[in-house]
């Protein structure tokens, strides 16, 4: 993760976790549960509906769609992500109602949430204090991305992981074609897609590109996920038919054929829509269209096999129309990724 990306996350925590007093509201609920836990037999239990409602209303409104995948993973490591948004609401409701926990256990579990949120905000404060001087005083060198650049983090994982030099050659060639096709579509050269960093673990390569290239890349990924959602929805119907044991093999075969057709036509449709948006004529710009089509195919294949592309906008020009489109695409990509993952799990 880039230093600026991490620093932006601390600002997000200030706004969405600290400002609405999430920790304070968790603590208020815990205090009532503690009173009830310690109440004697003849003492009346205190209601906690008000504290519960205030907490749920606050965490339900917290949306992580503006964060990169790396920032979300950091929230997980810090112990925040599972305690906010829909998952946080479900967690609180499970503790208080659904799992029929005794008051002592419920109080202890709410205390765990308080400790996690408090620890995370303290860690965020320490990071912000340490990182701010580094970012503000950093001397930019020639290899650093410009402030108008967008960083694309390409994560090689699952079926597109890098295990050996053969994988490196194959996937490196694939990404050269992806970069070349999209760059040419914007009258740029493959060299304009610059490698500015790398991380270990699941291999991550950080690319610096102009906003237009990043936006086109995100548009292709978004369209690919929409196709994947439709294909998986059709195949889900096939599985449901099998589950009903209606022995309608003809309908199952037709649905499978429809899924394959949707995937094939979807890929062709993506390339055409991107070309139309960039005013690339299939006949007049034959070479440009050809490399774009190959770029689309390779990028869709990379995402389908579990690869991940993350986007992070750099400072000053992040309010431009191009950056706004990128942010909108990325937010929609994250929502679609979750829906596609649910469909994939339903069929596994």
């Amino acid at each position: 993760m880039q230093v600026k990306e991490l620093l932006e996350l601390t600002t997000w925590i200030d706004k969405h976790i600290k400002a609405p007093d999430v920790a304070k509201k968790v603590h208020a609920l815990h205090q009532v549960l503690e009173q009830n836990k310690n109440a004697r037999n003849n003492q009346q239990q205190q209601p906690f509906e008000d504290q519960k409602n205030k907490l749920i209303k606050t965490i339900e409104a917290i949306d992580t769609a503006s964060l990169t995948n790396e920032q979300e993973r950091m929230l997980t490591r810090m112990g925040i992500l599972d305690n906010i948004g829909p998952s946080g609401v479900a967690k609180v409701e499970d503790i208080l109602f659904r799992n029929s926990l005794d008051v002592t256990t419920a109080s202890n579990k709410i205390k765990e949430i308080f400790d996690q949120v408090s620890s995370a905000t303290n860690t965020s404060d320490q990071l912000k204090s340490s990182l701010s001087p580094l970012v503000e005083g950093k001397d930019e060198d020639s290899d650093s991305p410009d402030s108008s650049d967008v960083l694309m983090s390409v994560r090689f994982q699952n079926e597109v992981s890098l295990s050996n030099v053969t994988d490196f050659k194959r996937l490196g060639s694939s990404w050269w074609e992806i970069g070349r096709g999209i760059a040419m579509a914007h009258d740029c050269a493959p060299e304009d897609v610059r490698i500015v960093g790398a991380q270990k673990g699941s291999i991550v390569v950080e690319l610096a590109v102009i906003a237009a290239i990043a936006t086109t890349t995100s548009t292709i990924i978004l369209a690919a996920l929409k196709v994947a959602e439709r294909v998986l929805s059709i195949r889900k119907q096939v599985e449901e038919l099998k589950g009903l044991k209606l022995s309608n093999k003809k309908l199952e075969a037709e649905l499978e054929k429809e899924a394959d057709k949707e995937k094939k036509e979807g890929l062709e449709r993506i390339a055409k829509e991107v070309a139309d948006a960039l005013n690339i004529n299939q006949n007049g710009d034959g070479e440009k269209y050809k490399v774009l089509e190959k770029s689309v195919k390779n990028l869709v294949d990379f995402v389908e096999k579990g690869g991940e592309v993350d986007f992070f906008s750099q400072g000053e020009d992040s309010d431009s129309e191009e950056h706004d489109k990128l942010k909108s695409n990325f937010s929609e990509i994250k929502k679609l990724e979750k829906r596609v993952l649910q469909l994939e799990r339903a069929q596994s």
Side-chain angles (χ1 to χ4, degrees):
M1 182 187 289
Q2 290 281 324
V3 173
K4 285 185 178 179
E5 189 178 0
L6 184 53
L7 187 58
E8 280 198 5
L9 178 60
T10 66
T11 302
W12 184 91
I13 290 172
D14 285 348
K15 181 179 179 180
H16 296 278
I17 305 297
K18 292 179 66 178
D21 287 330
V22 173
K24 184 177 179 180
K25 286 167 184 172
V26 178
H27 183 59
L29 176 59
H30 174 249
Q31 281 187 311
V32 179
L33 292 173
E34 275 292 291
Q35 289 177 18
N36 290 341
K37 182 182 80 172
N38 296 321
R40 297 181 180 179
N41 293 334
N42 60 347
Q43 288 183 310
Q44 187 176 358
Q45 295 283 301
Q46 297 297 312
F48 52 83
E49 187 75 9
D50 184 53
Q51 290 82 356
K52 182 264 294 181
N53 288 341
K54 285 180 179 178
L55 174 60
I56 285 180
K57 183 178 179 181
T58 300
I59 61 176
E60 191 173 35
I62 300 174
D63 187 5
T64 61
S66 64
L67 299 177
T68 66
N69 292 325
E70 266 307 308
Q71 287 172 328
E72 280 201 350
R73 278 188 275 268
M74 179 59 77
L75 285 185
T76 298
R77 291 194 289 270
M78 295 170 74
I80 291 181
L81 195 61
D82 287 344
N83 294 318
I84 59 176
S87 61
V89 172
K91 187 174 181 179
V92 171
E93 290 181 340
D94 282 346
I95 291 171
L96 297 178
F97 306 114
R98 296 198 185 105
N99 292 336
S100 302
L101 299 178
D102 61 274
V103 67
T104 298
T105 304
S107 178
N108 291 341
K109 287 188 173 294
I110 294 296
K111 177 64 163 53
E112 286 176 11
I113 295 176
F114 171 74
D115 290 341
Q116 288 169 341
V117 174
S118 298
S119 175
T121 52
N122 288 335
T123 299
S124 176
D125 288 343
Q126 292 168 11
L127 285 170
K128 190 170 188 177
S129 177
S130 301
L131 295 177
S132 294
L134 295 177
V135 172
E136 291 169 4
K138 184 180 178 183
D139 294 327
E140 299 294 338
D141 57 46
S142 59
D143 293 326
S144 298
D146 296 330
S147 62
S148 59
D149 281 341
V150 173
L151 286 178
M152 296 197 325
S153 295
V154 181
R155 184 175 290 271
F156 295 86
Q157 60 185 10
N158 300 321
E159 294 179 49
V160 284
S161 60
L162 291 172
S163 303
N164 50 57
V165 291
T166 301
D167 293 336
F168 183 80
K169 179 181 179 181
R170 175 176 54 85
L171 290 167
S173 175
S174 176
W175 265 94
W176 179 81
E177 289 176 342
I178 292 170
R180 177 174 178 250
I182 298 175
M184 280 184 64
H186 290 279
D187 297 317
C188 296
E191 291 78 11
D192 291 318
V193 179
R194 296 182 294 127
I195 297 176
V196 295
Q199 302 172 28
K200 60 183 180 179
S202 293
I203 302 298
V204 179
V205 175
E206 294 173 337
L207 308 175
V209 297
I210 61 172
I213 290 177
T215 301
T216 298
T217 304
S218 70
T219 299
I220 294 169
I221 293 172
L222 178 57
L225 286 169
K226 288 179 180 177
V227 171
E229 184 180 34
R230 287 195 290 270
V231 170
L232 287 169
S233 295
I234 294 170
R235 288 187 171 146
K236 183 182 178 185
Q237 293 177 45
V238 175
E239 294 302 316
E240 288 172 349
L241 273 175
K242 290 177 180 178
L244 291 172
K245 298 180 180 179
L246 299 177
S247 300
N248 194 335
K249 298 298 182 183
K250 183 179 179 181
L251 181 55
E252 287 179 22
E254 287 177 353
L255 284 171
E256 286 284 10
K257 187 177 178 181
E258 181 64 25
D260 292 337
K261 180 184 176 184
E262 175 61 38
K263 184 175 180 179
K264 180 177 181 296
E265 292 181 351
L267 187 64
E268 295 170 353
R269 189 166 58 246
I270 293 169
K272 188 176 184 307
E273 287 175 354
V274 171
D276 289 344
L278 298 175
N279 296 315
I280 297 173
N281 188 285
Q282 188 170 355
N283 299 318
D285 302 297
E287 178 64 16
K288 189 182 282 189
Y289 185 87
K290 184 179 177 181
V291 295
L292 175 63
E293 194 173 36
K294 196 163 189 178
S295 174
V296 169
K297 180 181 182 303
N298 286 351
L299 182 55
V300 170
D301 186 60
F302 180 79
V303 173
E304 278 188 346
K305 290 180 178 177
E308 180 183 283
V309 183
D310 216 351
F311 302 90
F312 175 64
S313 298
Q314 302 281 298
E316 287 85 351
D317 296 329
S318 59
D319 291 329
S320 69
E321 184 177 337
E322 200 72 62
H323 280 81
D324 288 343
K325 175 65 174 173
L326 176 61
K327 289 177 182 177
S328 175
N329 279 355
F330 184 56
S331 176
E332 189 62 29
I333 283 170
K334 291 181 69 179
K335 293 174 185 175
L336 265 172
E337 282 176 336
K338 290 174 182 175
R339 295 208 295 268
V340 167
L341 184 61
Q342 287 175 346
L343 283 168
E344 287 175 340
R345 285 174 175 169
Q347 293 177 46
S348 61

